[in-house]
Amino acid sequence: MVNKRIDGPTGTETVGHEWDGIEELDTPMPRWWLWTLYLTIVWGIVYVILYPAWPLVDKATEGVLGWSSRGELAKEMSVVDQGRVTMREELSRIPIERLPENSKMFTQAVAGGRSAFQVHCSQCHGSGAAGSQTLGYPNLNDDDWLWGGDIKAIEYTLTNGIRAPGVEKTRASIMPPFDGVFEPVQLEAVVNHVLSLSGRGSRNALGAQTFQDNCSVCHGTVGEGNRDLGAPRLNDAIWLYGSSHEQLRNQILKPKMGRMPHWSDRLDPVTIKMLSAYVWSLGGGEEFVEVAADPAVKVDAEP
């Protein structure tokens, strides 16, 4: 350009533009910067040749190395899946009652059971397994169990369900309705007696006698319950359908009895085993006790 000139103080050629007496010097780029630019251009060309780069309609150019992030993910997932298969195979061979003895497998089973619980069980028992007294879903964090809280008993319950229609081995118990059975004074007396078993009601002779005549055969003489029958304890502070005087009265007259589906037709045995481990680990799980060889000896933990 005709306006170019050499700047006297710096010895650098100007770009030829001038704005109100201000000129710009045409200072050359540093050599290191130029070489860096050239290297990045070369690196970009090499990358385009070796790796996927240019997007097409349904894929990208593959590159001569054949590498892709999707391919790497597929390999990683394949390794993870194989690990899961191996873990599940090993888990399937461990008897449920021996699982807590294998700390590594038990930890993996609890992790898998936690995930399965959120998918299949949290809708009723809650994400934290606290249940719902209003709806009659039991809390799985406490140590109150209708049919036993050892890991094998829990697996049995999950496999066969509770009052599940058409399942021969389902957990089943029925409390008869006492509507019309008791005189009003008897009803009030027995309600107060049941509440007194947990220290919240007044003991009375009529209620105690009524309880012994009608309720103790299932719930025990002091309200300790009976796991063989699925009869709940009445002498603690844990209640499934509420503990107020009115709620207890209604439960005696028209008892509520919930259902739980049997999961053997929805989940495979290994997933049920993992669920059992997770529920057992929540804090209320009991130690498994081997059944005695003598069939006359009964063990509460046996489902």
Side-chain angles (χ1 to χ4, degrees):
M1 296 179 64
V2 294
N3 292 331
K4 284 188 176 183
R5 69 179 188 82
I6 302 298
D7 179 59
T10 62
T12 305
E13 188 177 34
T14 66
V15 297
H17 302 294
E18 185 257 334
W19 296 273
D20 199 19
I22 300 174
E23 295 179 291
E24 182 180 359
L25 299 180
D26 190 11
T27 305
M29 302 299 297
R31 283 293 187 188
W32 66 265
W33 192 95
L34 287 174
W35 282 113
T36 301
L37 175 62
Y38 298 151
L39 287 175
T40 57
I41 293 173
V42 173
W43 179 86
I45 295 173
V46 173
Y47 184 93
V48 168
I49 296 172
L50 297 179
Y51 295 98
W54 296 100
L56 304 176
V57 176
D58 57 348
K59 61 179 182 178
T61 54
E62 296 181 356
V64 298
L65 294 181
W67 181 95
S68 71
S69 57
R70 290 185 179 182
E72 289 299 300
L73 177 60
K75 291 179 183 178
E76 293 176 6
M77 293 302 298
S78 177
V79 173
V80 172
D81 290 341
Q82 184 59 46
R84 288 175 179 169
V85 169
T86 303
M87 184 271 290
R88 291 176 68 89
E89 288 177 350
E90 185 176 350
L91 188 58
S92 68
R93 293 191 292 266
I94 301 177
I96 184 70
E97 63 272 19
R98 301 300 177 205
L99 182 57
E101 300 171 5
N102 188 326
S103 59
K104 179 181 178 181
M105 290 304 301
F106 181 73
T107 299
Q108 292 180 325
V110 169
R114 182 184 294 108
S115 299
F117 186 92
Q118 297 303 323
V119 174
H120 301 287
C121 311
S122 61
Q123 294 84 350
C124 294
H125 293 284
S127 59
S132 171
Q133 192 176 86
T134 303
L135 300 174
Y137 299 131
N139 185 350
L140 304 178
N141 297 285
D142 58 37
D143 58 359
D144 220 34
W145 301 90
L146 289 179
W147 284 281
D150 68 81
I151 196 168
K152 190 170 184 178
I154 294 171
E155 181 191 44
Y156 184 97
T157 301
L158 287 169
T159 300
N160 298 287
I162 298 173
R163 303 181 187 91
V167 181
E168 181 181 357
K169 295 183 178 180
T170 190
R171 301 287 199 188
S173 63
I174 297 177
M175 177 175 169
F178 285 88
D179 192 7
V181 175
F182 297 143
E183 297 292 336
V185 64
Q186 281 183 300
L187 178 60
E188 294 305 310
V190 76
V191 169
N192 283 321
H193 174 74
V194 171
L195 290 173
S196 74
L197 296 175
S198 56
R200 299 184 303 107
S202 58
R203 296 182 179 273
N204 62 92
L206 178 58
Q209 188 60 52
T210 303
F211 183 87
Q212 292 303 319
D213 294 342
N214 298 273
C215 312
S216 62
V217 65
C218 293
H219 294 286
T221 56
V222 293
E224 69 273 19
N226 187 329
R227 287 182 171 180
D228 290 335
L229 302 175
R233 288 183 61 184
L234 303 177
N235 57 6
D236 59 17
I238 300 174
W239 300 84
L240 184 56
Y241 294 104
S243 59
S244 70
H245 190 282
E246 182 181 2
Q247 288 171 324
L248 185 54
R249 183 177 183 275
N250 291 337
Q251 183 66 10
I252 293 173
L253 294 176
K254 297 179 180 180
K256 299 176 181 178
M257 290 173 285
R259 290 182 177 179
M260 188 184 84
H262 65 109
W263 292 99
S264 57
D265 66 338
R266 310 185 191 193
L267 302 176
D268 61 87
V270 173
T271 301
I272 292 177
K273 186 177 288 188
M274 291 191 294
L275 269 172
S276 304
Y278 172 68
V279 173
W280 187 82
S281 73
L282 290 175
E286 303 170 343
E287 293 298 323
F288 174 79
V289 179
E290 292 284 2
V291 179
D294 184 353
V297 179
K298 294 172 65 177
V299 180
D300 284 344
E302 176 66 6

